[in-house]
Structure formats: C-alpha cells, structure tokens
Amino acid sequence: MNENQSQTESLLDIVQGIEGKSIMLPEFQRDFRWELEQTYDLFDSLIKDIFIGTIIYGKPSFGMTLREIDMRPRRGKGSNAKLKTYDFSTEQIKLKTQTENLKVVLDGQQRITSIHRAIVGKDTVYLILNEDLDEEAAKDKPLEEIFKEVSGEESEKSISIKLSDAYDVETGKLEEDEDFNQRFSQTLFAKKRLSATDSETLNRKRACEKIFRRTIRKLNDLYKQQKMVAYYLLDMNLDKFCIFFERSNSRGIQLSFTDILAAKLYHGFNLRKKVEEFEDQNKLKLNREIVVRAIAYICGVEDGKALAIDRKAILDELDADDFNKHWDKVCKLYAESLSYLSGQHYILSQDWMPSENMVIPIMMFRHHTKGFDQITEEQRQFLEFWYWSSIFSNRYSSSSNEIIIADSKALTQIANDEKINIRGYFNRMRPLIAESADLFSYSKRTSAIYRGVLNLLNYESKGLMDWNSSQKLINVPNLDDHHIYPSAYINNSPSLDIEQEEAEQLADCVVNRTLIPKITNIKIGKKPPQTYLSEIQQYSNQNLANCLLSHKIPKELIADEAYNGLFKLFLEDRAKAIYDIINKYTNETRQSIINRYGIVFEETTN
C-alpha cells in the first residue's frame, strides 16, 4: 500500500475500531480536550459533507505502550479515573497490526474521540430537525436538508434525535417500530406537544413517529457511509515515527523522541514520574534528552559496544533495566555539572546556556573524578579552554552526536590524567571570531556564540552585577538580553556617529546586548543610554559605574550625554574588549593545552 495515498472510512468503522481496541493512542499523546461545542460543529460538518481534515494513523512495527481512547464521563464520578494503558512488545504489536488491523492515532485524536463519544452516547448530542417537518420531506430529502442544528439540548418545538439512537439501531437495541415509538414518546417534543389524546394530535404523533424512525435510519446510513472520513495509514518504523512527532504534530504540541521512549519504558520505568521527582527535589529543569543520551553513553562504554547516542540507538537498545540502573546516578551528575557551571560563572542561568549538549561531556568528566572540588588546576584549565573554545568554534551548533561522543571521551581522558588520543581533536576547536568586527554578525539569541558572548562577560567578571543592586546575577530567573543602546531609541533617528541604516542593522548585534533582569529592561524603554543609566544611578544604585564595568560598558555612559550619539565608537570599543576576552580563554592558552594533553600527531597543529 502506498502510505501517501489517502483512504476513507465510515464513522461506524471508527466507533467499532475504538470499541474493539484496534484504534488506540500512543501513551504520550495529550488528553482529550474538546468541548461539546466543538463536537456539535464537527457533526454539523459531517452531515453537510464539509471536509473535517484527514486523520493520520500509524502502523507501528515496534513495541510501545498504548492507551485507550477516552471514554470517561466529562464530569462527576469517574471523570478523573486513570486511562488504561497496554504494554505491547514488538512481537505483540506486529501480531495485532496483522491480525486485528491495529492502528495508532498520530493526528486526529480530538475528532475521532468526539465522533465515538457522541455516537455511543458517552456525550449526549442531539440532531434537531426543522420545525413543522412533514413526512414526505423526511422521506425524500437528504439529512442535510431536514435538520436545523446539532445541539446538546432537546428542542420542545421540533423533533430531537440523540446521535446514539442511530447507533442503537446498529447494535440491535432499536429494531421494531414499537421500540422506535417508545423512544420517541420519551422525547421532550413528544411530551410537550403531543401529549393530548384528540384525533388531530394522535394523527400528528403518528406522522412524527414516522419522521423519527426515518431520520434515525438516515442517520444510521450516514454512520455506514464509507467515504465519511479521510485518513492516511503510515507504515512506520521507529525512526520515522519519532520524526513525524518531532516535525508534524498538530496544534503546536511539541514531542521529542524521549516522549516515545517514555511510552516504550512505561511499565518498567516511569520516565515522566522520575523527571517530576528530580525537578521537585532539585529546583532545576531537567533536560530529559541530556540525561537519556548520557545513560546511552555510559551503557555503551560499559558494554564495550560502538558508542551511539542518537535517537535510533537509544530507542532500539536502551530498556527499563538500563534506566533503573543508571537514572539516579546520571541525574546527580547532571545536577552537579550545572551547579559547577553556575558556581564557576560559566553560565548565568540554565535558560541562557549556549548549548545544553555540552553538559554531557562535563557529566562524563565528573563521572570519572571524585568531585569538582577535587580536580587539579591543570584539569580546571583544560575545562576552561575546552568550554570556551567549543562555544566559539560553534562545535555544538548542530547538536552532533559525534561531537558529544568525542568530547565525552576526551574529558574522560582528562579526568583520568591521560592525553587525548583523538586525531585532529584540537583542529576543530579554533574560534570563528577572527577579529572584533566578526562579533557584529551575531544577533540571533538562539546562536551558541551569541549566548557564549553574554556568558563569557559573566565568566570574566566572576559574576555580572545587577544594575539596580550591585548584587551578582547568579541563577536569576527572567534575564533579558537588553539593548544597551535601546533599539527603539536607535529607530527614532537620533544624531549618531554612524549612518542610520547601519545603526539599525547593528542595534540587535551581541555587542549592543547584555543580560539584566527583565523588569529593568522594561523600565528602560526607548530612552537614550545616558538618560536611563543616570536615572538608575540616582534612584536605584549609586554604585552603577562598577556594575557597568563588569558588563564591559564604559562608565562614561552614565554622565556624558555625548555618548548618546557615539554608537559606533561604543560598538567598536566594546567589540574589541569582548574579542580580547575570547582570545584570552581560547587562542592564548591553546598551545600550552596542546603541549600538555595532545599526542604527537596533535603537536604539529599551531
């Protein structure tokens, strides 16, 4: 079957698939969230033959934990009951797809759940017919032309039919005319409008009973129509399955391969619960992918296998036993590594790390030492060189697993006081910043080099100082990369020592940015630098001049109004200062590091 070819199914196919558990959800899918009003709109579209979008099913070939479609009541008893999950091995999944046509919902959960709940009666949904509908119209006209609306309440002015009434025909609960008539007599319309016993009312009642029966059968026919819902059935291996959710999940729900991994491990190791426990105990956000990749690396080293920490290797090879064995230890390494980076001023906050993947090699370094407080000065110097050289050579821009593995191996060797035996290792650690002007091209806050510059200022000053209090910014939440010359001020065309167009282009570059608490940034607005800095000094912090120096900002900006126009001079001076710091921790120490830790084929690289 061509997996890119759309197919169709009936509403009854969907209901029967859910009832028979041949349509199920991956354990990690979000919960059912649609309100009843969205169900009303959905069935209005179905009856009017309006396209409702394509359902996407997966036909998996790998083991995972699935859960049933939500059949709980919306409120009251049972509404918060835990949905049942089913742990299937690879062999069981393959068997179910072959013998039971198992389909896993990848996209469309809200629609198919709404369809199921309304048709089987989990949600009470009514089809309200047109008022004064006659027998002939009900017989000859299509369903679309004889109904008024889909609603959650009966009408006392016209015939109302529960969507579940038509399903009762299918299941045999409604067969004889007497069954239909009895069901009709219980409707609000019949009770309110047809309770009298005069001949005219009785004739009208008989006519309405026929309309009721015919409409229910039309509705049942609608449920059976094979071209009601379009769907794709994707025959997916594990890797494609992950990529689908990472790239294509609807409604902006971001899922990564660790969500799929959580489903695979569910009954042997509750990954989500463990993450929550860690974050509650440590007051840190746990990057699950970092910890998972670290576990994969450690398992690979222990097993003597070819090291692989990519998505496919993790999903194929790691099992619950690996996580039960290593989780607590690796989480401790993660917390200690972040604490070290923060305590040594490598990072201002977890949110502003240049690349979280760099934590993995640091974790492996810590794994082979007695503690960060017991490393030698030579080891500390190597970490310093490796960290800043890796950032400014942009080694982690693509989150390459090969780079992570190579650095983990190298830092393990450093921890064991060994030389690095990776050919060409130091050649890959040359900074991309060849001159100060290169810094002007970095303006995207997602860039590792952009973030590296802001954190390097913190490292050089042993802690950037808060402009409002002179306190060091250590693990401060909501830091903002503030424009020193506010962009709104630049865009207002002040008199500057640079062309307006160039000034606007350079306003967002990292040389014109520094990290300060967000509330301070909001107060600054579009004021010129001398104005807002003098106000901060006057009203908040008399020691502001020393704070600025920690950010490599000249204290003259506070008192000298002339600096409001010296944007180009400011950028050139600050770029030079930042460039000198980059050189200090990379190029200037490079050769001594190579001499100490390189092997012969490395010593020729200068």
Side-chain angles (χ1 to χ4, degrees):
M1 179 184 64
N2 183 351
E3 66 180 27
N4 292 319
Q5 183 176 348
S6 176
Q7 304 178 74
T8 58
E9 62 184 341
S10 69
L11 301 182
L12 194 58
D13 288 334
I14 292 174
V15 170
Q16 291 175 341
I18 291 173
E19 291 287 307
K21 292 186 173 51
S22 63
I23 296 178
M24 301 185 75
L25 291 165
E27 181 273 331
F28 54 79
Q29 276 277 37
R30 63 176 179 158
D31 289 339
F32 175 63
R33 298 184 184 280
W34 267 21
E35 298 295 335
L36 277 169
E37 287 74 16
Q38 291 168 286
T39 299
Y40 307 154
D41 290 342
L42 177 66
F43 274 90
D44 183 84
S45 296
L46 288 166
I47 293 169
K48 293 176 179 177
D49 196 23
I50 296 172
F51 183 59
I52 65 166
T54 303
I55 308 298
I56 301 178
Y57 297 116
K59 186 179 177 183
S61 58
F62 49 89
M64 66 186 307
T65 299
L66 304 179
R67 65 174 168 85
E68 60 190 4
I69 302 296
D70 196 339
M71 302 181 191
R72 298 172 298 183
R74 286 182 176 268
R75 58 186 62 85
K77 185 178 179 180
S79 60
N80 293 319
K82 188 174 181 181
L83 291 171
K84 189 172 181 180
T85 59
Y86 301 82
D87 188 33
F88 295 117
S89 66
T90 297
E91 291 72 23
Q92 289 172 322
I93 285 280
K94 289 180 178 179
L95 181 62
K96 287 183 73 67
T97 58
Q98 292 169 3
T99 61
E100 300 177 31
N101 193 29
L102 174 67
K103 296 183 289 188
V104 177
V105 182
L106 306 183
D107 187 54
Q109 177 203 169
Q110 306 300 319
R111 284 166 286 168
I112 69 167
T113 304
S114 293
I115 288 169
H116 173 262
R117 293 177 66 89
I119 288 178
V120 303
K122 293 294 181 181
D123 290 335
T124 302
V125 182
Y126 293 94
L127 186 70
I128 311 299
L129 303 188
N130 294 328
E131 295 179 18
D132 301 321
L133 182 66
D134 60 57
E135 286 184 61
E136 290 305 312
K139 178 181 178 182
D140 299 331
K141 290 185 178 182
L143 196 59
E144 177 182 352
E145 295 183 23
I146 65 173
F147 91 105
K148 177 182 179 182
E149 64 178 332
V150 180
S151 175
E153 296 181 356
E154 288 186 83
S155 170
E156 65 176 65
K157 297 181 180 180
S158 60
I159 298 172
S160 303
I161 297 171
K162 284 184 183 180
L163 298 190
S164 58
D165 288 338
Y167 185 62
D168 285 345
V169 174
E170 190 63 33
T171 59
K173 293 180 181 178
L174 282 179
E175 293 183 321
E176 305 297 330
D177 285 355
E178 289 184 9
D179 299 327
F180 284 91
N181 294 343
Q182 176 63 28
R183 187 74 58 93
F184 174 72
S185 68
Q186 298 170 359
T187 65
L188 182 63
F189 174 76
K191 291 177 180 179
K192 291 287 186 180
R193 297 299 178 97
L194 303 173
S195 59
T197 57
D198 60 278
S199 59
E200 182 179 350
T201 301
L202 290 174
N203 288 335
R204 174 62 179 154
K205 182 178 181 181
R206 282 192 288 271
C208 288
E209 287 172 344
K210 287 184 179 180
I211 294 171
F212 186 78
R213 294 196 299 271
R214 287 171 176 168
T215 306
I216 287 178
R217 290 193 171 101
K218 285 179 185 285
L219 192 57
N220 182 252
D221 289 340
L222 178 81
Y223 294 168
K224 294 179 180 179
Q225 288 181 22
Q226 280 301 312
K227 295 185 178 181
M228 284 302 295
V229 179
Y231 72 90
Y232 288 97
L233 179 59
L234 308 183
D235 196 348
M236 308 176 86
N237 61 30
L238 193 53
D239 196 47
K240 286 184 179 179
F241 190 79
C242 296
I243 293 172
F244 174 86
F245 273 102
E246 289 176 339
R247 296 180 181 174
S248 306
N249 201 255
S250 66
R251 309 291 188 256
I253 304 300
Q254 296 298 313
L255 293 167
S256 70
F257 81 88
T258 55
D259 293 291
I260 290 93
L261 179 64
K264 282 175 59 63
L265 300 172
Y266 190 78
H267 282 280
F269 182 86
N270 193 323
L271 181 59
R272 292 189 185 88
K273 182 179 179 181
K274 286 291 189 178
V275 170
E276 292 173 1
E277 289 176 356
F278 173 88
E279 292 181 340
D280 287 342
Q281 294 169 4
N282 294 275
K283 307 304 178 184
L284 284 173
K285 289 179 293 184
L286 182 68
N287 186 317
R288 295 173 297 171
E289 292 191 18
I290 297 299
V291 172
V292 168
R293 283 193 168 100
I295 289 174
Y297 182 87
I298 290 173
C299 288
V301 171
E302 289 184 350
D303 294 341
K305 299 177 180 178
L307 293 174
I309 59 171
D310 59 3
R311 172 177 50 222
K312 185 178 187 306
I314 289 169
L315 291 170
D316 286 346
E317 297 177 14
L318 292 189
D319 58 28
D321 289 341
D322 295 319
F323 282 82
N324 284 316
K325 180 179 180 181
H326 296 294
W327 178 264
D328 291 339
K329 172 178 60 183
V330 170
C331 282
K332 183 179 180 182
L333 294 175
Y334 179 78
E336 289 185 5
S337 297
L338 286 181
S339 177
Y340 176 76
L341 291 175
S342 176
Q344 296 299 310
H345 307 292
Y346 283 98
I347 59 173
L348 272 154
S349 72
Q350 194 176 0
D351 291 336
W352 277 98
M353 289 184 66
S355 173
E356 282 210 75
N357 281 302
M358 291 180 66
V359 178
I360 298 176
I362 298 174
M363 292 166 65
M364 296 307 108
F365 174 85
R366 168 60 188 89
H367 183 45
H368 290 274
T369 63
K370 294 181 179 179
F372 285 110
D373 58 342
Q374 297 188 48
I375 65 175
T376 66
E377 175 59 17
E378 289 76 15
Q379 290 171 330
R380 187 204 66 78
Q381 288 175 5
F382 182 88
L383 281 178
E384 179 183 77
F385 167 81
W386 168 84
Y387 186 83
W388 297 116
S389 294
S390 294
I391 290 171
F392 291 109
S393 62
N394 217 17
R395 279 165 59 77
Y396 283 79
S397 59
S398 61
S399 301
S400 167
N401 290 310
E402 290 74 19
I403 295 296
I404 295 171
I405 291 170
D407 282 354
S408 294
K409 180 180 178 181
L411 264 65
T412 296
Q413 291 173 329
I414 298 300
N416 292 326
D417 292 321
E418 299 169 356
K419 288 183 178 290
I420 296 172
N421 63 356
I422 303 171
R423 183 175 293 277
Y425 182 74
F426 291 103
N427 286 339
R428 304 164 193 159
M429 301 178 70
R430 296 180 182 274
L432 299 180
I433 312 298
E435 59 181 2
S436 60
D438 290 342
L439 290 163
F440 297 145
S441 63
Y442 294 95
S443 58
K444 294 183 179 180
R445 63 179 60 187
T446 54
S447 162
I449 290 180
Y450 179 100
R451 289 171 169 248
V453 167
L454 300 179
N455 283 281
L456 181 63
L457 293 171
N458 180 60
Y459 186 76
E460 172 68 5
S461 62
K462 302 307 176 191
L464 289 178
M465 298 170 71
D466 186 341
W467 291 4
N468 280 316
S469 65
S470 294
Q471 297 294 316
K472 290 189 175 183
L473 297 172
I474 300 176
N475 286 325
V476 176
N478 298 319
L479 287 177
D480 200 18
D481 50 339
H482 159 66
H483 292 79
I484 299 165
Y485 280 68
S487 56
Y489 167 71
I490 295 294
N491 293 337
N492 202 32
S493 301
S495 178
L496 300 174
D497 59 345
I498 188 174
E499 292 295 327
Q500 179 65 25
E501 183 178 352
E502 186 179 2
E504 291 177 3
Q505 291 176 348
L506 293 175
D508 288 337
C509 79
V510 71
V511 182
N512 189 40
R513 310 294 280 266
T514 199
L515 289 172
I516 62 175
K518 188 170 185 177
I519 188 64
T520 305
N521 197 11
I522 293 172
K523 292 178 180 178
I524 288 169
K526 61 181 179 181
K527 298 173 185 177
Q530 189 276 329
T531 300
Y532 75 75
L533 288 171
S534 62
E535 289 177 355
I536 292 174
Q537 184 180 59
Q538 181 179 358
Y539 298 111
S540 300
N541 184 12
Q542 295 295 317
N543 193 36
L544 179 60
N546 287 334
C547 293
L548 294 185
L549 293 177
S550 73
H551 295 256
K552 295 301 177 186
I553 299 172
K555 62 182 180 181
E556 287 78 13
L557 257 69
I558 301 173
D560 191 349
E561 286 189 34
Y563 256 101
N564 290 337
L566 300 178
F567 186 44
K568 182 178 181 180
L569 177 64
F570 164 79
L571 291 177
E572 290 176 344
D573 288 349
R574 192 165 188 253
K576 177 62 167 58
I578 294 171
Y579 176 71
D580 289 344
I581 303 171
I582 294 173
N583 267 338
K584 175 180 176 181
Y585 294 111
T586 59
N587 292 327
E588 290 181 10
T589 58
R590 175 184 173 81
Q591 194 57 55
S592 63
I593 292 293
I594 292 174
N595 292 341
R596 186 183 305 145
Y597 292 108
I599 58 176
V600 173
F601 54 71
E602 294 286 308
E603 292 175 353
T604 60
T605 62
N606 296 313

